[in-house]
Amino acid sequence: MPFKKERQLMRRLELIYLAIFVLSVLLLGLFILRDHAVRQLNQQLQTLHYARQDFDAGALHILLADTSLVQWQREVGQQRFAQALASLLEIASEHVNSRSSLQQEILQIKQSMELLLSLSTAPEAELSQQIIRLRLNIEQLYTLLNAELQRELKNSRYWFLSLVFSAILLVAGLFITLLRTERKRARFHKELYDSEHRLSLIADNIDEVFWLKNAETGELLYLSSTFEKLWQLPVRDIHANPDIWLQRVHPDDRQSVHEAIAQSRLQSVSVDFRIVQPDDEIKWVCDRLFPVSTFNDNNEVIQLIIVIESDITQAKLLNEKLSIAQKLESLGKLTGGIAHDFNNLLTVIMGNAQLINDLLLPDSPLSEIAALIVKAAERGASLNRQLLAFASKQQLKPEKIDVCELLSDMQHLLRRTMGDSIRIDYQPCPNDVYCFVDAGQLQNALINLCINAKDAMPAGGTISISLQRSDDNNYAVIHVADTGEGIADSVLPHIFEPFFTTKAKQKGSGLGLSMVYGFVKQSGGNIKVKSLKSQGSCFTLLLPLCTDSENAGSIENVLEQPLKAGKKLLLVEDDDMVRDSVLQMLGNTDYSVVSAANADSGLALLNEHLDFDIMLTDIIMPGQLNGIALADYVQQHFPEIAIILTSGYVGDLQQQYSSFASYAFLAKPFSKTQLLTALAQLETH
């Protein structure tokens, strides 16, 4: 591990520093000892020189003993001889143990000195000869001692120099080792700095926040600077008070955060929670906590917790939107699935109720009941259309419209509908804005949005409507904003769900925004909403723009061939009750009706009877052919037959068959009156 390696380097440096210190002390001691030895040898050489002078002086005094001062001269000579001999013996005694030749010389000198002293009264010639012999002995000893002392002095210097040289080599080696160690340490520190710098560069420039904490003490060891961006808290505040961040955690999520921290000491754990920023904005955060073990400076195992923190607010919003979209899609599929059967039932109810009413006398009390049945069936049909609108399955009649003109024309209607307490602020677009949409449904969508805006402003306010082109010039952008109470965060994800409403009972069905959502989606556009508490809401409709070259006007259901004389009708309907109900509706008319239960039966009747004038066929039927495919076949092989398509639910077939718009269409449920009107309109084309 990096920290362990650094500790080892530091220990090596400490040992090298200690070795250099000890060596320096030893060198200083050796230098002092060597200096003392050199001074002692120099002193012995000087003493040897003085002894030689004393011997020469003593010899001179002995030779002069024949003068009048004989006794005094001899005493001085003997005294100088004694001094010289004592000095020589003192110096020689330090070297006599290891030098046997010196012992011999000293013994001879002692004997010669005793002989000389005994001959002090001898004649001058004999005395001079003895002095000369003794001088030779003394000179030989002096030469030997001087040579010995000079050798010792030289050896001492060589020994000291070699010791100093060895010490220099050792110090140089230690210094080189220290230098290399320092270089290694410097390189290691540079690598460590580079590594930490790279880590810091990464940690401070990505969205994730990195924490490092002591699991036992809770001490914060590291916190990346991106913490400030996410939490809107200075890092220094966290170091001063490591638990201050918990105050920003949403109160409902604090328990789960504490549990995650406790579990992280044993295993890896992940927790999602909300934080509340100073401006009351809610952010979602995901913390992933990992327990790890490492060593401190004393090589003791310590437990740490690494935390990687991510801002998942956008992911949460996208997941919520996806969940809502999936829920709406499921509701749409469910709505589309039941719409066909539900409208078939309503067709039977509505048709038979009207037939009953036709059979009753004008003043019959049952007439009122039959009328209620028809009214209830019509209300059910309206509800079904609203559900289909939400599911983007409604039957639209798109046309090229001038959106700016449509909005301008609606201003009078909206001001009259909203009342005096609501101000309408309309900002038209300076450029032409054309869209290929159902004009009536667009008007209904805008009215629904304005009614919701009015309900959000019970004390009055302003509704702002504006029109513009999108930046990419592909969409017309319609804003409908209010100054009302706004939509609560808990409500906002559900506003487009069918039957969801926050209004009081009997004041809203919960289908208004669902219809707007379905219309916009079915028209190839999109709807967005922004809302702030007590600051109002803004709904934005995006509808695809169309070019001037596209056809304007509504898609009309017209026949290319006029009807022949006669009214023989082929009814193709798979639902038995609907088929019987239509037969009952046309029973007392001039139409001669032949029915078929499916497309194959209808084709067989067509091939059998070539004199049909009209074919009324359901669209969604079992088998290989649906109603539109059957109509295409009839149009190709029997062009003289007029065709009416009918269905309670078209689904995606309208987009799959381009020929759909060329046929007359009668939506289920329909009454006898509506059926006869549709048939009559065929004869006028």
Side-chain angles (χ1 to χ4, degrees):
M1 297 176 66
F3 296 109
K4 192 172 183 180
K5 185 177 178 182
E6 185 180 11
R7 288 197 296 271
Q8 292 174 348
L9 282 173
M10 291 300 296
R11 288 198 182 102
R12 289 176 63 187
L13 286 175
E14 290 172 359
L15 291 174
I16 292 173
Y17 286 135
L18 180 61
I20 292 176
F21 174 74
V22 171
L23 183 59
S24 300
V25 173
L26 289 175
L27 285 175
L28 180 62
L30 290 172
F31 179 78
I32 293 172
L33 290 174
R34 179 263 175 193
D35 187 60
H36 175 71
V38 169
R39 283 201 307 271
Q40 189 175 14
L41 289 171
N42 285 328
Q43 186 177 0
Q44 288 179 352
L45 285 170
Q46 190 174 6
T47 302
L48 184 63
H49 177 68
Y50 289 152
R52 186 175 182 180
Q53 289 180 351
D54 285 338
F55 177 78
D56 290 340
L60 179 62
H61 282 287
I62 292 296
L63 290 174
L64 296 175
D66 56 346
T67 64
S68 59
L69 299 177
V70 172
Q71 187 62 34
W72 176 78
Q73 291 286 349
R74 288 191 176 191
E75 289 178 0
V76 171
Q78 291 176 1
Q79 187 179 3
R80 288 296 183 96
F81 279 146
Q83 288 178 356
L85 183 60
S87 297
L88 289 172
L89 292 176
E90 182 183 358
I91 296 172
S93 63
E94 294 186 15
H95 306 280
V96 73
N97 294 330
S98 58
R99 300 289 187 273
S100 58
S101 60
L102 291 179
Q103 290 180 354
Q104 236 172 2
E105 295 296 334
I106 292 171
L107 182 60
Q108 289 179 3
I109 291 172
K110 283 183 177 181
Q111 291 174 353
S112 299
M113 185 69 83
E114 290 174 358
L115 180 61
L116 179 63
L117 293 175
S118 64
L119 295 176
S120 58
T121 57
E124 180 179 350
E126 186 179 351
L127 186 60
S128 298
Q129 185 180 3
Q130 187 63 31
I131 288 173
I132 291 170
R133 188 181 296 113
L134 181 60
R135 179 178 177 80
L136 290 174
N137 291 333
I138 291 296
E139 186 70 30
Q140 186 175 357
L141 179 61
Y142 172 83
T143 303
L144 289 173
L145 283 176
N146 185 62
E148 181 69 21
L149 289 174
Q150 291 291 344
R151 185 165 54 252
E152 289 288 339
L153 182 60
K154 184 177 181 181
N155 289 340
S156 176
R157 285 173 177 168
Y158 282 158
W159 171 81
F160 180 74
L161 288 174
S162 63
L163 183 63
V164 170
F165 181 71
S166 300
I168 290 173
L169 290 178
L170 181 59
V171 171
L174 290 173
F175 179 77
I176 291 172
T177 303
L178 177 62
L179 182 62
R180 292 183 62 188
T181 306
E182 282 289 348
R183 285 180 177 175
K184 253 195 216 178
R185 185 164 174 262
R187 185 168 62 251
F188 170 76
H189 276 288
K190 184 178 183 305
E191 291 174 355
L192 183 63
Y193 170 78
D194 291 342
S195 176
E196 290 180 349
H197 179 67
R198 286 192 294 267
L199 178 61
S200 177
L201 195 64
I202 294 171
D204 294 339
N205 288 278
I206 61 176
D207 294 333
E208 279 72 18
V209 179
F210 292 92
W211 299 65
L212 182 62
K213 301 181 70 175
N214 188 309
E216 298 173 357
T217 65
E219 179 187 2
L220 180 63
L221 304 176
Y222 176 77
L223 180 59
S224 61
S225 61
T226 47
F227 171 85
E228 296 185 356
K229 179 181 177 183
L230 177 59
W231 287 78
Q232 311 248 327
L233 269 174
V235 171
R236 63 176 179 274
D237 290 356
I238 298 296
H239 286 288
N241 182 5
D243 295 329
I244 192 174
W245 62 275
L246 286 169
Q247 300 174 9
R248 293 284 175 90
V249 177
H250 196 284
D252 296 342
D253 298 339
R254 287 177 187 169
Q255 182 62 31
S256 60
V257 171
H258 284 297
E259 292 175 356
I261 293 174
Q263 294 176 10
S264 67
R265 302 181 68 175
L266 303 175
Q267 61 184 7
S268 299
V269 66
S270 177
V271 59
D272 295 350
F273 59 93
R274 291 162 292 176
I275 60 175
V276 184
Q277 294 187 326
D279 57 357
D280 293 332
E281 182 183 359
I282 301 293
K283 280 188 175 290
W284 275 96
V285 172
C286 173
D287 274 11
R288 289 170 290 163
L289 300 90
F290 307 92
V292 295
S293 300
T294 186
F295 297 91
N296 61 11
D297 293 338
N298 299 322
N299 277 335
E300 298 171 341
V301 178
I302 58 173
Q303 297 294 328
L304 303 178
I305 297 177
I306 298 174
V307 183
I308 302 177
E309 193 169 68
S310 306
D311 183 355
I312 58 171
T313 306
Q314 293 302 319
K316 280 285 186 180
L317 292 175
L318 289 175
N319 285 335
E320 287 182 5
K321 289 181 180 179
L322 178 60
S323 176
I324 293 170
Q326 290 174 338
K327 187 186 297 184
L328 294 179
E329 183 180 3
S330 298
L331 287 171
K333 289 180 179 178
L334 176 64
T335 300
I338 66 173
H340 183 266
D341 293 338
F342 188 50
N343 279 328
N344 279 341
L345 293 173
L346 290 176
T347 300
V348 176
I349 294 171
M350 186 181 296
N352 284 282
Q354 190 171 7
L355 287 174
I356 292 173
N357 192 49
D358 291 344
L359 295 174
L360 295 174
L361 296 173
D363 56 349
S364 172
L366 296 177
S367 297
E368 216 174 299
I369 296 175
L372 284 174
I373 295 174
V374 173
K375 187 174 181 180
E378 289 175 347
R379 185 171 179 180
S382 175
L383 178 61
N384 206 29
R385 282 194 296 272
Q386 290 177 324
L387 290 174
L388 286 173
F390 152 73
S392 304
K393 308 292 186 182
Q394 64 181 330
Q395 181 69 29
L396 296 178
K397 296 181 179 179
E399 57 184 327
K400 180 182 177 182
I401 62 169
D402 185 339
V403 182
C404 189
E405 182 179 351
L406 182 142
L407 291 177
S408 298
D409 293 342
M410 288 184 65
Q411 296 310 302
H412 178 69
L413 172 64
L414 290 174
R415 288 189 175 92
R416 188 175 59 187
T417 305
M418 297 297 105
D420 296 335
S421 63
I422 303 298
R423 175 175 169 267
I424 304 294
D425 180 19
Y426 172 56
Q427 300 175 8
C429 181
N431 302 318
D432 293 335
V433 180
Y434 288 93
C435 293
F436 197 68
V437 294
D438 188 316
Q441 291 296 332
L442 177 56
Q443 289 176 332
N444 289 338
L446 294 172
I447 291 172
N448 267 312
L449 293 177
C450 289
I451 289 174
N452 283 344
K454 178 185 177 183
D455 293 339
M457 299 182 293
T462 300
I463 298 176
S464 300
I465 302 174
S466 64
L467 172 66
Q468 62 191 62
R469 288 173 173 262
S470 62
D471 294 337
D472 57 9
N473 217 32
N474 291 328
Y475 292 91
V477 182
I478 304 174
H479 296 291
V480 180
D482 62 66
T483 58
E485 301 169 350
I487 304 172
D489 292 339
S490 59
V491 173
L492 197 59
H494 307 287
I495 59 174
F496 295 120
E497 295 177 7
F499 305 111
F500 179 84
T501 180
T502 57
K503 297 178 182 178
K505 194 174 181 180
Q506 305 299 330
K507 287 194 175 181
S509 64
L511 286 172
L513 288 177
S514 301
M515 293 176 63
V516 176
Y517 175 88
F519 158 70
V520 173
K521 288 292 186 180
Q522 192 172 355
S523 300
N526 197 6
I527 182 170
K528 300 179 181 179
V529 58
K530 289 184 180 179
S531 184
L532 292 176
K533 189 176 180 180
S534 303
Q535 297 185 30
S537 306
C538 178
F539 287 82
T540 302
L541 306 184
L542 290 91
L543 298 171
L545 293 172
C546 65
T547 61
D548 294 340
S549 60
E550 295 186 37
N551 294 328
S554 62
I555 298 177
E556 298 180 358
N557 299 318
V558 296
L559 294 174
E560 297 182 0
Q561 298 292 334
L563 291 176
K564 292 170 51 179
K567 301 176 182 177
K568 194 168 185 179
L569 185 145
L570 173 62
L571 172 63
V572 184
E573 172 62 57
D574 64 298
D575 189 288
D576 295 340
M577 289 190 298
V578 175
R579 189 169 62 251
D580 292 342
S581 180
V582 173
L583 289 174
Q584 290 292 335
M585 291 180 194
L586 299 177
N588 295 325
T589 64
D590 294 333
Y591 293 100
S592 173
V593 183
V594 178
S595 64
N598 51 55
D600 292 335
S601 299
L603 284 176
L605 290 172
L606 284 168
N607 291 323
E608 208 176 298
H609 305 280
L610 302 179
D611 54 349
F612 285 110
D613 301 311
I614 304 171
M615 181 178 71
L616 175 64
T617 179
D618 190 17
I619 292 178
I620 299 178
M621 293 184 294
Q624 295 183 349
L625 291 178
N626 58 47
I628 303 176
L630 175 62
D632 290 344
Y633 179 85
V634 172
Q635 185 71 22
Q636 181 180 359
H637 295 86
F638 307 99
E640 69 279 3
I641 297 178
I643 299 171
I644 298 179
L645 301 178
T646 182
S647 182
Y649 169 67
V650 178
D652 298 330
L653 294 175
Q654 182 177 356
Q655 286 75 34
Q656 294 178 20
Y657 291 88
S658 59
S659 59
F660 178 85
S662 63
Y663 302 116
F665 179 77
L666 178 61
K668 293 180 180 179
F670 53 81
S671 64
K672 178 180 178 180
T673 303
Q674 291 171 329
L675 174 58
L676 294 176
T677 301
L679 292 171
Q681 287 178 345
L682 284 179
E683 299 184 46
T684 62
H685 289 81

